[in-house]
Amino acid sequence: KKGCMDRAQAVIDEMLAKGLPPNEVSFNTLVNGWVKKGFMDKAQRVVDEQMIARGLAPNEVTCNTLVKGWAQKGDMDEAQLVVDGMVSRRLTPD
């Protein structure tokens, strides 16, 4: 189920190893893939441990993808935390 996503993460890792820093689009693609597969813990870790750790702020696409994923999992508390973070950063929840 997660095989393709493991490969996608490997591509990001290869980019980093070659000195080619992924951008928000690269990470948003990875987040979206994990959300579609239902692995919210992995999607959230991409944001927390890869994007933010590299100084990239989650944008509206990132956050709305996380909100959708948490809501689909039935975890409205996590979804609300993301929405609250969006509002505080003046991003528009979708």
Side-chain angles (χ1 to χ4, degrees):
K1 183 176 180 180
K2 66 180 186 126
C4 292
M5 290 310 303
D6 287 337
R7 178 65 189 130
Q9 181 62 61
V11 170
I12 297 288
D13 295 341
E14 288 171 26
M15 290 174 67
L16 291 165
K18 293 179 180 181
L20 303 168
N23 61 19
E24 290 90 345
V25 174
S26 304
F27 286 120
N28 284 344
T29 301
L30 197 57
V31 169
N32 188 53
W34 284 122
V35 167
K36 284 185 174 182
K37 296 281 187 181
F39 289 94
M40 286 308 301
D41 56 332
K42 291 186 180 282
Q44 191 68 59
R45 275 200 303 258
V46 169
V47 174
D48 297 340
E49 297 174 9
Q50 296 185 54
M51 287 185 79
I52 295 171
R54 289 182 175 78
L56 297 173
N59 59 25
E60 287 177 342
V61 172
T62 316
C63 295
N64 284 317
T65 302
L66 288 173
V67 170
K68 174 184 171 187
W70 286 120
Q72 286 174 340
K73 280 281 201 189
D75 193 334
M76 299 312 291
D77 291 336
E78 284 293 331
Q80 188 62 53
L81 284 174
V82 177
V83 169
D84 293 346
M86 291 178 76
V87 170
S88 72
R89 292 184 16 244
R90 299 182 188 217
L91 298 175
T92 305
D94 197 6

